[in-house]
Amino acid sequence: MARDGGVSCLRSSETMRVGIGGMESPPLDLDEVHVLAVDDSLVDRIVIERLLRITSCKVTAVDSGWRALEFLGLDNEKASAELDRLKVDLIITDYCMPGMTGYELLKKIKESSSFRQVPVVIMSSENVLTRIYRCLEEGAEDFLLKPVKLADVKRLRSYLTRDVKLSNANKRKLPEDSVPVNTSLPPPPSPFTISPVSSDSSPPLTISPESSDSSPPLSPLEISSSPLSSPIDDEDDDVLTSSPESSSAPEESPARRQKMRSPLD
Amino acid sequence: MDTLVAQLQRQFRDYTISLYHQGFLDDQFTELKKLQDECSPDFVAEVVSLFFEDCEKLIGNMARALDQTGNVDFSLVGSSVHQLKGSSSSVGAKRVKGLCVTFKECCDSQNFEGCVRCLQQVDIEYKSLKAKLQDLFNLEQQIVQAGGRIPQVDI
């Protein structure tokens, strides 16, 4: 995830002009964060593009998961050796899209060797717990509730380029019985927030308590005190959470976004 | 004595506030305004224009689907409603979004009459918002043409 100088994913290629290893690596221009935005809605694409540009990101916006894979060169089996270096620092995708959902796109990205390290953020207009957890479990870095605001994007931007050196104590642990957090990676700068936090301040270490504390000060969405035991009747039969979340009644929650440390492969 | 600019600015301020208070717009519209600057001075107008085009297209889809008497594909209608709800939410079109919520419920329960009613309401609502925002943008233009600056309105 976030390393010094921000995250980038450089596709290895013998034809690269600039040496990629060792001393010859080009310094990453911290302002040149390149984001791939995926949304089937034109209005939303325009808005997210502007939100990102205004926070000094370069943006490539596409209208489907397939086009995203195409852009990343993941749409076929061909080795990417002959392709130019592609630097993508963040992928932000809508969840509900025809054809390939954001979740399916997330899975494909996380399955790829070239791009699995790229943080993927999911956007959705629906605050469905099981959906959120499913995405985070699959390796999504963050989950934003639509409509996306400038503060949300600024927050994303800040954790992409800052030099993350947080102690492990600040890491948001998953609920007990869940998979362990990968401790070799820097922890997320801002875990669960429960209210529309103004992120003009530096990413807060408003850390939710460790699950062992079993005190859930967070909104109803926070169920850290419950073990992940019972499978949820979710459309994908994923065993995710013990929240009796029913997709027909998405909770209106004050939480604007959910974030959980998810283990990487 | 009020200058023309001051009068226009006051009109603009009052009109903007009324649009929020009457529930036509919500704070997402304010968020869009934040994205407008000297480099993109027409950003809001461009986005809402795309939104209204979207409305027209989606409402057309819904009408066509509902027109298949005896063979209405409610999931198709619902999917268009979902898209409209999304884009109205993204631009701060509060009333349109609210109607979409009701509309979606009618689709989910396959309530044909309800859907037809909602379709009519959504059509009226987006056109009404379109006219109001046009008035608002016209006021902005008049202010600028009279040599003034568009005031920042805090809701």
Side-chain angles (χ1 to χ4, degrees), chain B:
Chain B
M1 191 173 99
D2 260 346
T3 61
L4 173 64
V5 167
Q7 280 176 31
L8 289 170
Q9 285 172 333
R10 200 177 41 252
Q11 269 183 49
F12 174 80
R13 202 178 266 115
D14 291 346
Y15 196 52
T16 303
I17 291 172
S18 80
L19 287 179
Y20 280 87
H21 284 189
Q22 289 173 43
F24 287 97
L25 299 174
D26 64 26
D27 64 281
Q28 185 61 17
F29 189 80
T30 318
E31 286 290 317
L32 288 191
K33 295 226 103 169
K34 288 184 193 171
L35 306 182
Q36 187 160 281
D37 58 21
E38 312 77 46
C39 308
S40 287
D42 299 314
F43 176 71
V44 178
E46 283 164 9
V47 176
V48 301
S49 167
L50 284 173
F51 166 65
F52 293 129
E53 279 174 27
D54 219 24
C55 286
E56 205 176 314
K57 182 190 86 178
L58 291 169
I59 286 172
N61 292 350
M62 296 169 204
R64 258 187 308 279
L66 286 169
D67 217 19
Q68 310 298 313
T69 332
N71 195 25
V72 174
D73 185 348
F74 285 98
S75 67
L76 198 60
V77 185
S79 131
S80 289
V81 174
H82 175 84
Q83 287 180 60
L84 184 59
K85 179 170 164 249
S87 51
S88 59
S89 163
S90 296
V91 303
K94 188 174 179 181
R95 283 201 190 180
V96 177
K97 177 185 169 184
L99 285 173
C100 287
V101 172
T102 312
F103 200 162
K104 189 70 167 55
E105 286 164 10
C106 291
C107 292
D108 292 343
S109 53
Q110 311 217 344
N111 175 355
F112 180 76
E113 284 82 19
C115 282
V116 171
R117 247 192 330 269
C118 286
L119 181 66
Q120 287 168 350
Q121 286 173 333
V122 145
D123 190 56
I124 290 169
E125 196 58 53
Y126 100 81
K127 286 170 175 164
S128 164
L129 179 64
K130 186 174 175 182
K132 289 185 189 296
L133 287 180
Q134 194 54 59
D135 288 344
L136 194 67
F137 296 142
N138 286 346
L139 267 176
E140 284 185 342
Q141 261 190 331
Q142 286 174 57
I143 293 170
V144 168
Q145 277 164 9
R149 273 203 333 206
I150 298 161
Q152 175 116 349
V153 184
D154 294 319
I155 306 303

Side-chain angles (χ1 to χ4, degrees), chain A residues 174-196:
Chain A
L174 292 174
E176 50 193 7
D177 296 340
S178 67
V179 288
V181 176
N182 185 338
T183 56
S184 66
L185 296 168
S190 27
F192 282 95
T193 55
I194 55 168
S195 53

Side-chain angles (χ1 to χ4, degrees), chain A residues 1 90-93 95 102-103 105-107 109-110 116-123 131-144 156 159 174 188 257-265:
Chain A
M1 305 316 284
L90 171 71
I91 297 166
I92 182 164
T93 177
Y95 181 93
Y103 174 71
L105 175 62
L106 165 69
K107 282 206 333 191
I109 290 165
K110 291 302 171 189
R116 59 162 34 140
Q117 301 280 12
V118 178
V120 180
V121 173
I122 311 283
M123 304 179 281
R131 174 182 298 182
I132 296 169
Y133 275 102
R134 184 201 301 144
C135 291
L136 296 175
E137 284 280 320
E138 197 60 42
E141 184 72 19
D142 210 333
F143 191 99
L144 297 182
L156 292 185
Y159 79 61
L174 292 174
R257 75 179 187 90
Q258 304 295 315
K259 188 168 157 67
M260 197 158 75
R261 195 71 191 125
S262 53
L264 293 187
D265 294 329

